[in-house]
Amino acid sequence: MNELLDLLGARTGMVSAVGAGGKKTTLYHIAMAHPGTVGVTSTVPLAHFPSSLGAVEVVEEGGLIVDAVVEAAKENRVVAFARPDVKRGRYGGLRSETIARVREAGVFDVVLVKADGARMRWIKAPDDDEPVIPDDTTTVLPIVSAKAIGEPLTEQVAHRLHCVESVTGANYNEPIKPAHVARLLAHESGSLKSVGDAEVIPVINMVDNTELEAAAVEAAETALAMTDRIDRVVLTCNLSSSRLVAVVSR
């Protein structure tokens, strides 16, 4: 797991996950495996934190949350923080400025941020007001599920379907190809939207068998050939405790 932390640029700084197909799973896995102090939060509404995360929760309005998080971090390795529920079972996201104040307090080795929503779909391209990446993010992890490859492009698989069509060139109900995923990962209006100067490390998740691995490797190699903004694509698996499947580098 130490290797995966380094490959994902998740040792220090602020790591923001965007896209679809495993943002929370990836961030929570990082939090549980990281040897240091970790803050976990979101700029968008998110489901309640799972007990498996092993975090102490701080749920407060924005004006009160910074001091509460700092106090909690003095005695707890992982602190998950958010605003009170905006709807049943979903915490509210925090403003980027509030998360920046928490980071500036210096109580965490790394702050992990869910910066996008996808409604449990496997592939997504952002709408005009998405994603919500804090300005001082040091690493952006654009995530897509390998399980989307081969599936027809429909609302059941894709979030912001019209955006996915525009960015990838795939048509409605057309099988999603590795080339479509590559275009998403390499596109300025896709996975590279709003990343600023952060390091960008795409993650193709749910690479749970050899067939999906071959398709994911093809997508990764094509994406690397399309842009110099990324240097590697990390392939991960939901079925493995180590999660790392492969790294495709230029």
Side-chain angles (χ1 to χ4, degrees):
M1 183 59 209
N2 285 343
E3 181 185 12
L4 188 57
L5 289 177
D6 294 328
L7 289 170
L8 296 180
R11 285 282 180 188
T12 60
M14 184 182 296
V15 179
S16 292
V18 301
K23 293 185 300 297
K24 295 192 302 292
T25 301
T26 300
L27 293 177
Y28 295 165
H29 192 74
I30 291 170
M32 289 185 285
H34 199 288
T37 54
V38 181
V40 183
T41 191
S42 180
T43 56
V44 298
L46 81 163
H48 288 175
F49 301 109
S51 58
S52 59
L53 182 58
V56 62
E57 293 188 19
V58 176
V59 181
E60 292 281 3
E61 289 296 347
L64 302 173
I65 198 165
V66 176
D67 289 343
V69 168
V70 170
E71 283 301 310
K74 292 177 180 178
E75 297 182 357
N76 298 276
R77 191 186 68 80
V78 181
V79 180
F81 54 102
R83 288 175 48 237
D85 285 11
V86 289
K87 59 178 68 175
R88 186 173 181 180
R90 294 185 70 78
Y91 289 139
L94 291 171
R95 292 173 59 87
S96 296
E97 295 85 351
T98 303
I99 299 172
R101 288 173 58 204
V102 170
R103 185 185 173 201
E104 288 165 4
V107 293
F108 295 119
D109 292 307
V110 65
V111 177
L112 308 176
V113 183
K114 179 178 181 281
D116 204 2
R119 298 185 180 176
M120 304 299 290
R121 302 304 195 270
W122 288 343
I123 189 170
K124 176 190 178 175
D127 211 340
D128 291 343
D129 59 349
E130 298 171 317
V132 188
I133 301 174
D135 290 340
D136 52 349
T137 291
T138 53
T139 304
V140 175
L141 304 178
I143 295 176
V144 61
S145 171
K147 290 185 176 181
I149 301 173
E151 293 294 321
L153 179 58
T154 66
E155 297 87 345
Q156 284 68 47
V157 172
H159 187 46
R160 306 288 190 237
L161 177 61
H162 65 289
C163 298
V164 176
E165 290 178 307
S166 175
V167 166
T168 66
N171 296 314
Y172 183 78
N173 216 33
E174 176 184 0
I176 298 169
K177 301 179 177 67
H180 296 138
V181 173
R183 289 179 198 138
L184 174 67
L185 296 179
H187 203 291
E188 294 292 335
S189 296
S191 296
L192 298 180
K193 186 169 182 277
S194 302
V195 299
D197 295 328
E199 183 179 17
V200 181
I201 306 172
V203 177
I204 302 179
N205 189 36
M206 302 184 188
V207 183
D208 296 343
N209 58 51
T210 55
E211 182 179 357
L212 290 175
E213 183 176 355
V217 168
E218 181 180 346
E221 290 176 341
T222 304
L224 287 166
M226 295 175 70
T227 179
D228 59 4
R229 190 63 180 81
I230 56 178
D231 293 320
R232 64 181 176 275
V233 180
V234 178
L235 278 53
T236 57
C237 172
N238 276 355
L239 306 179
S240 167
S241 59
S242 68
R243 291 187 57 79
L244 180 62
V245 173
V247 182
V248 182
S249 304
R250 45 176 86 256

